[in-house]
Amino acid sequence: MEFRIIKSPSEGTLDILRRRMGTNCKTDLDSADAIGLVQGRMIEMICAADIAEKAVGVTVEDVRGSCPQNMILIAIFGDTASVESAIKEIKIKMEEGKTL
Amino acid sequence: MEFRIIKSPSEGTLDILRRRMGTNCKTDLDSADAIGLVQGRMIEMICAADIAEKAVGVTVEDVRGSCPQNMILIAIFGDTASVESAIKEIKIKMEEGKTL
Amino acid sequence: MEFRIIKSPSEGTLDILRRRMGTNCKTDLDSADAIGLVQGRMIEMICAADIAEKAVGVTVEDVRGSCPQNMILIAIFGDTASVESAIKEIKIKMEEGKTL
Amino acid sequence: MEFRIIKSPSEGTLDILRRRMGTNCKTDLDSADAIGLVQGRMIEMICAADIAEKAVGVTVEDVRGSCPQNMILIAIFGDTASVESAIKEIKIKMEEGKTL
Amino acid sequence: MEFRIIKSPSEGTLDILRRRMGTNCKTDLDSADAIGLVQGRMIEMICAADIAEKAVGVTVEDVRGSCPQNMILIAIFGDTASVESAIKEIKIKMEEGKTL
Amino acid sequence: MEFRIIKSPSEGTLDILRRRMGTNCKTDLDSADAIGLVQGRMIEMICAADIAEKAVGVTVEDVRGSCPQNMILIAIFGDTASVESAIKEIKIKMEEGKTL
């Protein structure tokens, strides 16, 4: 899994994300202070999305949308502190989940 | 093969799964207590789906739906105990099947 | 190449196969006692399909159908003994064919 | 590159090939005694197709048709001797072409 | 990540880029003195696009457009000095971002 | 990067190329004495196309057309000497470009 955080994303970056999320996107991207990006294998990303969804102050989107590949990317939108804390949560809980 | 279990899946996680399962999905996702995820090569996943289908208390869905790739993901829905036991069954029987 | 045999396939497993074989499927899946699965590179699978087609008591289907990838999967339907013997035949003849 | 020859192909095998060649196929498959299959990277396969096209007694088809991938497969149809000689030609000429 | 700069791009090169960027392209390609190309994994490319968007004198486009793959390419258009400086910025900031 | 030259391409080979280039093709393939093929990663191929476009006596086409993958193929059409000189140019200039 790989992680990146973009603070104060530019309008062009939001455009690229919008085009790749298609019409399923339920988040108002313009109000997001920060974007957390998490990329990994599909099975991991569904678990990561669930962990982030249960964190406070963030919304989660599946970036690929209509053309699923094995390796996918999720974006986590919110204020910087919430995005950082959601990503921290993912790192901890996914590590625990490996013992399954 | 990789295995993950999500307990009390969030609404957003169910949405991601719903979008990737398309209209073929026969399970009422909202009533599932837990989701078992199994990812592997297609030939393994068809066998794994068959083992889970024969287990009690769970339903099985092919997550990718319309755009098959070599590596696919199945989701097993049910109460936590049933999902855990179906995944245990898959691990045991797939190991046996290797001797073919 | 990888091989698996599913005896008395569940209805859900047949559904997954049906959805991935599309409308080209000429076999009555419900009457099959067993399913042999063979996965490999496309060139091998066309040869394997030909060997199985020439075996008795089985029919052969191309599981991927509409979206060909480099790695494909064929399913061999019939009673358990016929499926097992078709798969044995594939193993022997493909080994011989390597000397080409 | 990989090579395989199927002698007296079964009707089911011709069906799999027909479905994957789409409507661009100009060869009458039913009159072919043998099928030569050559699989490799796209750049090699275009050269291989050209070599086979210039050989006598065979026709060449691009098996993938509508959904090109990096790795593709061509089929060479004709009587057994012509197919074998076309494949021999490909092996020799492609080896020479490497010195480019 | 890989980087290339094309100075005074030919009309044919702009055509290839135009076809692959689809109708989402907001840049007037004909007025670009230079094109910076950056290729990498999707998560990196979204960050790289954000860095370039925040640089002066350039616009950024997602070359793949409609059919996202895991590995994508962005193009940075502008005068040569601006493109070179945007690419330099990407190299420096992406290196810093690794410490996340 | 890989390079191949086909001299006096057969009609069947031109057909395979035509089908894979779609309706964007601006070259009259029938008047080409030779075809130069160059396969590589997308970022390299856009640079290679630009180098060939700036060479004399050749036209360049993007073979994949509608379904871009990470690895793509360009075809260079012209008389044999021009195609050979364009490919030589690509080899030299791409090597220089690596120092970026």
Side-chain angles (χ1 to χ4, degrees):
Chain A
M1 270 193 296
E2 264 184 294
F3 301 90
R4 292 265 176 188
I5 290 178
I6 295 173
K7 293 176 189 174
S8 318
S10 67
E11 196 46 45
T13 306
L14 294 174
D15 274 357
I16 291 178
L17 287 172
R18 263 185 213 107
R19 281 203 295 269
R20 288 182 180 270
M21 291 191 290
T23 54
N24 286 316
C25 180
K26 58 188 187 294
T27 306
D28 175 17
L29 269 61
D30 293 312
S31 68
D33 277 345
I35 305 171
L37 298 171
V38 189
Q39 180 169 296
R41 279 159 304 126
M42 191 161 164
I43 188 168
E44 290 173 341
M45 289 305 96
I46 290 172
C47 296
D50 190 65
I51 295 162
E53 285 275 347
K54 288 168 180 165
V56 289
V58 298
T59 59
V60 183
E61 300 287 342
D62 180 2
V63 179
R64 286 290 162 93
S66 60
C67 184
Q69 300 286 324
N70 192 39
M71 192 68 87
I72 63 167
L73 178 72
I74 59 171
I76 299 163
F77 300 96
D79 61 80
T80 307
S82 303
V83 169
E84 284 175 342
S85 125
I87 283 187
K88 215 163 159 186
E89 199 92 333
I90 290 171
K91 286 181 179 169
I92 293 163
K93 295 217 172 134
M94 292 300 285
E95 202 48 50
E96 288 168 17
K98 277 193 187 157
T99 61
L100 179 68
Chain B
M1 270 192 294
E2 264 184 295
F3 301 90
R4 292 266 176 188
I5 290 177
I6 296 173
K7 293 177 189 173
S8 319
S10 68
E11 197 45 46
T13 305
L14 294 175
D15 274 357
I16 290 178
L17 287 173
R18 262 185 213 108
R19 280 204 295 269
R20 288 181 179 271
M21 291 191 291
T23 54
N24 286 317
C25 179
K26 59 187 188 293
T27 306
D28 175 16
L29 269 61
D30 292 313
S31 68
D33 277 345
I35 305 170
L37 298 171
V38 189
Q39 180 169 296
R41 278 158 305 126
M42 192 161 164
I43 187 168
E44 289 173 342
M45 288 306 96
I46 291 172
C47 296
D50 190 65
I51 294 163
E53 284 276 347
K54 288 169 180 166
V56 287
V58 299
T59 59
V60 183
E61 299 287 342
D62 180 3
V63 178
R64 286 289 163 92
S66 59
C67 184
Q69 300 287 326
N70 193 38
M71 192 68 86
I72 63 167
L73 178 71
I74 60 171
I76 299 163
F77 301 94
D79 60 81
T80 306
S82 303
V83 169
E84 285 175 341
S85 125
I87 283 186
K88 215 164 160 184
E89 198 91 333
I90 291 171
K91 286 182 179 168
I92 293 163
K93 295 217 173 135
M94 292 300 284
E95 203 49 48
E96 289 168 16
K98 276 194 188 155
T99 61
L100 180 67
Chain C
M1 271 192 294
E2 263 184 296
F3 301 90
R4 291 268 176 188
I5 290 177
I6 296 173
K7 293 177 189 173
S8 320
S10 69
E11 196 44 46
T13 305
L14 294 175
D15 274 357
I16 290 178
L17 287 174
R18 264 186 211 107
R19 281 203 295 269
R20 288 182 180 270
M21 292 192 290
T23 53
N24 286 317
C25 180
K26 60 189 186 295
T27 306
D28 175 16
L29 269 60
D30 293 311
S31 67
D33 276 346
I35 305 172
L37 299 171
V38 188
Q39 181 169 295
R41 278 159 305 126
M42 191 159 164
I43 187 169
E44 290 173 340
M45 287 306 96
I46 290 172
C47 296
D50 190 65
I51 295 164
E53 284 276 348
K54 288 169 180 166
V56 287
V58 299
T59 58
V60 183
E61 299 287 341
D62 179 2
V63 178
R64 285 293 163 89
S66 59
C67 185
Q69 300 288 325
N70 192 38
M71 190 69 86
I72 62 166
L73 179 70
I74 59 171
I76 300 163
F77 301 95
D79 61 81
T80 306
S82 303
V83 169
E84 286 175 341
S85 124
I87 283 187
K88 215 162 158 187
E89 198 93 332
I90 290 171
K91 286 181 178 168
I92 293 163
K93 295 217 173 134
M94 292 299 285
E95 202 49 48
E96 289 168 15
K98 277 193 188 155
T99 60
L100 181 67
Chain D
M1 270 194 294
E2 262 184 296
F3 301 90
R4 290 268 176 188
I5 290 177
I6 296 173
K7 293 176 190 172
S8 320
S10 68
E11 195 45 45
T13 306
L14 294 175
D15 274 356
I16 291 178
L17 287 174
R18 263 185 212 109
R19 281 205 293 270
R20 288 181 179 270
M21 291 192 290
T23 53
N24 286 317
C25 180
K26 59 187 187 295
T27 306
D28 175 17
L29 269 61
D30 292 311
S31 67
D33 277 345
I35 305 172
L37 299 171
V38 189
Q39 181 168 295
R41 278 159 305 126
M42 191 160 164
I43 187 169
E44 290 173 339
M45 289 305 96
I46 291 172
C47 296
D50 190 66
I51 295 163
E53 285 276 348
K54 288 170 180 163
V56 288
V58 298
T59 59
V60 182
E61 299 287 340
D62 179 3
V63 178
R64 286 291 163 90
S66 60
C67 184
Q69 301 287 325
N70 193 39
M71 192 68 87
I72 64 166
L73 178 71
I74 60 171
I76 299 162
F77 300 95
D79 61 81
T80 307
S82 303
V83 169
E84 285 175 341
S85 125
I87 284 186
K88 215 163 159 188
E89 198 93 333
I90 291 171
K91 287 181 179 169
I92 293 164
K93 295 218 172 133
M94 292 301 283
E95 202 49 48
E96 289 168 16
K98 276 193 188 157
T99 61
L100 181 67
Chain E
M1 270 193 295
E2 264 184 295
F3 301 90
R4 292 267 176 188
I5 291 179
I6 296 173
K7 294 177 188 173
S8 319
S10 68
E11 196 44 46
T13 305
L14 294 174
D15 274 355
I16 290 178
L17 288 172
R18 264 186 212 106
R19 281 204 295 270
R20 288 182 178 269
M21 291 191 291
T23 54
N24 286 317
C25 180
K26 59 188 186 296
T27 306
D28 175 16
L29 270 61
D30 293 312
S31 67
D33 276 345
I35 305 172
L37 299 171
V38 189
Q39 180 169 297
R41 278 159 305 126
M42 191 159 165
I43 188 168
E44 291 173 339
M45 288 306 96
I46 290 172
C47 296
D50 190 65
I51 295 163
E53 285 277 348
K54 288 168 180 167
V56 288
V58 298
T59 58
V60 183
E61 300 287 340
D62 180 1
V63 179
R64 284 290 162 91
S66 60
C67 183
Q69 300 288 324
N70 193 39
M71 192 68 86
I72 64 167
L73 178 71
I74 59 171
I76 300 163
F77 301 95
D79 61 82
T80 306
S82 303
V83 169
E84 284 175 343
S85 125
I87 283 187
K88 214 163 160 187
E89 199 91 333
I90 291 171
K91 287 182 178 168
I92 292 163
K93 295 217 172 135
M94 292 299 286
E95 202 49 48
E96 288 168 17
K98 277 193 187 157
T99 62
L100 179 69
Chain F
M1 270 194 294
E2 263 184 295
F3 301 90
R4 290 269 176 187
I5 290 177
I6 296 173
K7 293 177 189 172
S8 319
S10 69
E11 196 45 46
T13 305
L14 294 174
D15 274 356
I16 291 178
L17 287 173
R18 262 185 212 108
R19 281 204 295 270
R20 287 182 179 269
M21 292 191 291
T23 54
N24 287 317
C25 179
K26 58 187 188 294
T27 307
D28 175 16
L29 270 61
D30 292 311
S31 67
D33 277 345
I35 305 172
L37 299 170
V38 189
Q39 180 169 295
R41 279 160 304 127
M42 191 160 165
I43 187 168
E44 291 173 340
M45 289 305 96
I46 290 173
C47 296
D50 190 64
I51 295 163
E53 285 276 348
K54 288 169 179 164
V56 287
V58 298
T59 59
V60 183
E61 300 287 340
D62 179 2
V63 178
R64 284 288 162 92
S66 60
C67 184
Q69 300 288 325
N70 193 39
M71 192 68 86
I72 64 167
L73 178 71
I74 59 171
I76 299 163
F77 300 95
D79 61 81
T80 307
S82 303
V83 169
E84 284 175 341
S85 125
I87 284 187
K88 214 163 160 187
E89 198 92 332
I90 291 171
K91 287 182 178 169
I92 292 163
K93 295 217 174 134
M94 293 299 284
E95 203 48 49
E96 289 168 16
K98 276 194 188 156
T99 62
L100 180 67

